[in-house]
Amino acid sequence: MSEQIVDKQESPDQLSEILLVLNKGKKKIQAVKGIDENGKLETVDANKKNQNQFMRVDKNGDLFSNFFSNFFSQLKNPTNFSFFKIPAPLAIDMAKEMQKQVDHPTPEGEKLMKQHQVKAEPQQEQKQENKNEMETTQKTPETSEYRYKPEQIDWETMNNLGLSKEKLEKMNLLDPLLRGYKTNELVPVSLNLGTAVTRMDARLSLQQNNEGQVVVAIHGIRKEPNLNFEFFGHKFTKEDKDNLLQSGNMGRMVNLTNPKTGETIPSIISVDRLTNELVALRTDKIKIPDEIKGIKLDDAQKQTLMEGKPLYIEGMISKKGTPFDANVQYNADKRFVEFLFDRSNTNKQTQNNQQNQSQEAPKTFRGKELDNEQYQKFKDGQTVYMSGLVDKKGKEYNGYITFNKESHKTEFTFQNPNKIKEQVKPTEAHKTQTAVNSEGKTNEATKKIKKPLKSGQKNPDSKKQQEEQEKPKAPAKSKGRKM
């Protein structure tokens, strides 16, 4: 099995554990070697001769939990086997003791077997996730299991929010809600309180209250994450705050306290970038992939991601087949490993996007997709040249597009608008003439001339004309009142 944590010869025995298995049909204890491509379990006798073939598993509890869940899901006929986790130095001797118990059962032997037995997480366990207030649902469902049924939803309440069953289905939001996840986009909600009506954008999720009833949770937009108060017993450090505001992830694992049970739970924390809500996820719920964009992860890399830390990976292959390097990090809200490119303006961009997701600069224009460099310029409000556009008659044409950040519309011209502005830029002489003729302004040469200059004229026609203007005016004669 190529994706396992197996045969790390460089790892000290004291940091590794061996997976033993009881084949219930053969009633034999053996060491696990792997799983073949058909899902068939591969085993070897647990003796010194085969010691180098034993599957070695990282001793860390969280990493083992993640590994065994993936291992068990790939196994064909898993109910035929029972698995046991044994420290590597004790594996051979423990296998002999367990075989004795299989051959001749005793109460002491049964206790030993149960002490080391490993059980896969039941699928139904996920139904309990939302009972922990610290957990929220993910963006992309990882399971086909439905947590709720449509008839469990209070549709009268939904209608009061302006959301009917038909509308949710049309927006493709009902299915993720029934699976127990947040909507992956903001939903316009209207709350009619009789004497007042509130309209807002929010993410929605379904949860069970203390009475077991299914209720609608509204995750409204916050101006910014609330980092000045304790979050389930954790007080944010300056570094925590900086990380959450810049990348959206805190970057480390911390112990949070469940207020209902008092249980201390190792967790990671992220920010919901749509609502600025803080989201925590238990580390035992984290599933790290074996491979990211063509790069297989080793045990240390998986552990780094499970602890919420960023990981720099080189040589990944994009969809276009080009290699690239990037930082990746596990996001507690999305519940998957995300890429961390330049996020220096993440917080500002997030707040702008929250106002209206549809206002974001489109990635395509008239059916043609912008490449990354074009899109970055276009998104920043710069003019981008587009070639190979096709009109309704199938004829190609070229032009320039600019994203207007105020109107959030794409403006198209056949000529470069930047060059057009340069061509019509007025000269200094033209500015002076316009100021004198149209705006009543003067300069040294014209400030005493009553008559406006002709177009293109900068000075008076003659000294005589100027001298006449300089003569003092005679006082106006006072006209007496007519009797």
Side-chain angles (χ1 to χ4, degrees):
M1 173 174 152
S2 61
E3 300 167 349
Q4 303 173 48
I5 312 168
V6 39
D7 277 341
K8 287 288 179 183
Q9 299 297 331
E10 68 275 14
S11 299
D13 278 350
Q14 61 267 27
L15 298 179
S16 301
E17 291 182 310
I18 303 300
L19 201 61
L20 299 181
V21 61
L22 168 63
N23 187 318
K24 297 178 182 178
K26 297 180 180 180
K27 293 187 176 182
K28 188 174 183 181
I29 295 286
Q30 291 182 299
V32 175
K33 179 181 177 182
I35 297 179
D36 65 19
E37 57 185 13
N38 298 317
K40 186 178 178 181
L41 185 66
E42 296 178 325
T43 60
V44 293
D45 290 336
N47 54 40
K48 290 184 178 180
K49 180 182 176 181
N50 299 324
Q51 199 167 6
N52 289 335
Q53 299 183 61
F54 294 174
M55 176 187 294
R56 294 179 182 272
V57 184
D58 192 293
K59 196 172 183 178
N60 179 276
D62 294 333
L63 189 57
F64 177 84
S65 175
N66 178 52
F67 154 74
F68 190 74
S69 178
N70 292 331
F71 173 88
F72 197 79
S73 66
Q74 296 179 57
L75 185 63
K76 190 175 182 180
N77 301 323
T79 55
N80 293 344
F81 308 99
S82 293
F83 294 92
F84 307 90
K85 184 175 65 168
I86 308 296
L90 306 177
I92 295 174
D93 292 336
M94 191 67 72
K96 293 178 182 178
E97 293 298 319
M98 289 184 171
Q99 188 63 55
K100 290 179 182 179
Q101 168 63 17
V102 173
D103 297 335
H104 306 287
T106 63
E108 294 78 10
E110 184 180 358
K111 185 177 180 181
L112 177 70
M113 300 278 276
K114 286 184 178 180
Q115 180 182 347
H116 295 282
Q117 188 172 1
V118 184
K119 293 183 179 180
E121 296 180 7
Q123 291 183 352
Q124 297 301 318
E125 179 206 32
Q126 293 190 5
K127 292 186 177 181
Q128 304 300 319
E129 279 187 32
N130 265 5
K131 289 186 178 180
N132 186 340
E133 290 182 358
M134 291 187 290
E135 295 182 6
T136 61
T137 54
Q138 71 183 64
K139 182 177 179 179
T140 305
E142 293 175 352
T143 174
S144 59
E145 293 292 322
Y146 283 91
R147 187 173 298 158
Y148 307 108
K149 297 178 180 179
E151 54 267 27
Q152 290 181 285
I153 299 175
D154 184 352
W155 290 110
E156 184 177 348
T157 300
M158 279 290 196
N159 289 328
N160 290 336
L161 297 175
L163 299 168
S164 63
K165 181 180 178 181
E166 293 73 20
K167 186 174 181 178
L168 289 173
E169 287 177 335
K170 189 175 181 180
M171 298 172 70
N172 296 321
L173 298 178
L174 183 58
D175 190 75
L177 282 173
L178 295 177
R179 294 180 192 272
Y181 302 110
K182 272 184 185 178
T183 56
N184 58 8
E185 59 185 61
L186 295 172
V187 182
V189 176
S190 299
L191 186 59
N192 193 335
L193 303 176
T195 56
V197 177
T198 301
R199 292 182 177 86
M200 62 187 300
D201 289 337
R203 294 178 76 180
L204 304 178
S205 67
L206 298 177
Q207 297 180 6
Q208 281 186 320
N209 61 16
N210 294 333
E211 288 73 36
Q213 297 174 320
V214 177
V215 296
V216 183
I218 301 175
H219 306 271
I221 298 174
R222 293 163 169 77
K223 185 178 179 181
E224 58 185 17
N226 190 351
L227 304 176
N228 296 323
F229 297 92
E230 286 191 359
F231 181 72
F232 293 99
H234 174 68
K235 188 175 182 179
F236 295 105
T237 65
K238 184 181 184 304
E239 186 178 1
D240 290 340
K241 295 177 182 180
D242 291 342
N243 289 339
L244 286 165
L245 292 174
Q246 290 172 14
S247 70
N249 304 312
M250 195 168 76
R252 67 187 181 108
M253 181 177 65
V254 292
N255 289 324
L256 302 182
T257 304
N258 188 322
K260 290 183 178 179
T261 65
E263 179 186 6
T264 299
I265 305 170
S267 308
I268 62 172
I269 303 172
S270 297
V271 175
D272 180 337
R273 295 194 182 101
L274 292 178
T275 65
N276 273 331
E277 180 183 23
L278 289 173
V279 179
L281 177 66
R282 302 166 58 122
T283 54
D284 59 7
K285 301 297 182 185
I286 296 176
K287 305 296 180 185
I288 304 297
D290 294 294
E291 184 178 297
I292 297 178
K293 294 294 182 180
I295 301 298
K296 289 188 177 181
L297 304 179
D298 60 30
D299 298 353
Q301 290 173 317
K302 289 183 179 181
Q303 184 63 27
T304 296
L305 292 174
M306 287 194 68
E307 293 176 357
K309 299 174 183 177
L311 174 68
Y312 187 71
I313 302 180
E314 297 179 332
M316 291 181 287
I317 306 299
S318 69
K319 290 182 180 179
K320 295 182 179 180
T322 56
F324 71 101
D325 309 331
N327 278 303
V328 297
Q329 193 171 26
Y330 197 92
N331 184 286
D333 176 50
K334 298 176 181 177
R335 290 201 184 182
F336 56 71
V337 178
E338 64 176 355
F339 292 96
L340 300 179
F341 295 107
D342 182 14
R343 293 190 181 275
S344 57
N345 295 320
T346 296
N347 203 39
K348 291 181 180 178
Q349 291 173 358
T350 301
Q351 290 178 3
N352 292 336
N353 290 341
Q354 288 165 357
Q355 300 302 319
N356 190 338
Q357 285 180 292
S358 62
Q359 294 178 353
E360 186 177 343
K363 184 83 175 182
T364 59
F365 178 75
R366 297 182 183 176
K368 184 165 183 180
E369 187 173 353
L370 284 71
D371 61 34
N372 291 336
E373 185 179 355
Q374 287 177 317
Y375 183 65
Q376 189 59 48
K377 290 180 179 179
F378 178 63
K379 193 167 60 172
D380 292 341
Q382 299 180 40
T383 298
V384 175
Y385 177 71
M386 295 290 291
S387 61
L389 299 171
V390 181
D391 62 18
K392 293 181 180 179
K393 296 181 180 180
K395 188 176 180 180
E396 286 195 5
Y397 66 98
N398 309 321
Y400 297 84
I401 60 172
T402 309
F403 183 65
N404 190 318
K405 292 185 178 181
E406 294 181 0
S407 63
H408 303 283
K409 293 182 179 180
T410 302
E411 299 172 352
F412 174 82
T413 57
F414 285 101
Q415 291 182 307
N416 190 336
N418 296 331
K419 289 189 176 181
I420 294 174
K421 290 177 182 178
E422 290 176 5
Q423 291 173 0
V424 300
K425 188 176 180 181
T427 63
E428 291 301 321
H430 179 78
K431 289 180 180 178
T432 301
Q433 190 68 32
T434 302
V436 172
N437 288 3
S438 305
E439 301 174 15
K441 296 180 179 179
T442 63
N443 61 16
E444 288 301 320
T446 63
K447 64 183 179 180
K448 295 179 180 179
I449 302 299
K450 285 185 177 180
K451 294 181 180 179
L453 299 178
K454 296 177 182 178
S455 178
Q457 185 180 4
K458 295 182 180 179
N459 297 300
D461 290 333
S462 64
K463 289 184 178 179
K464 185 178 180 181
Q465 183 181 358
Q466 187 172 351
E467 289 172 357
E468 287 178 356
Q469 300 301 327
E470 293 176 355
K471 290 180 180 179
K473 293 182 181 179
K477 293 182 179 179
S478 176
K479 292 184 180 181
R481 186 178 178 184
K482 231 175 183 181
M483 299 299 293

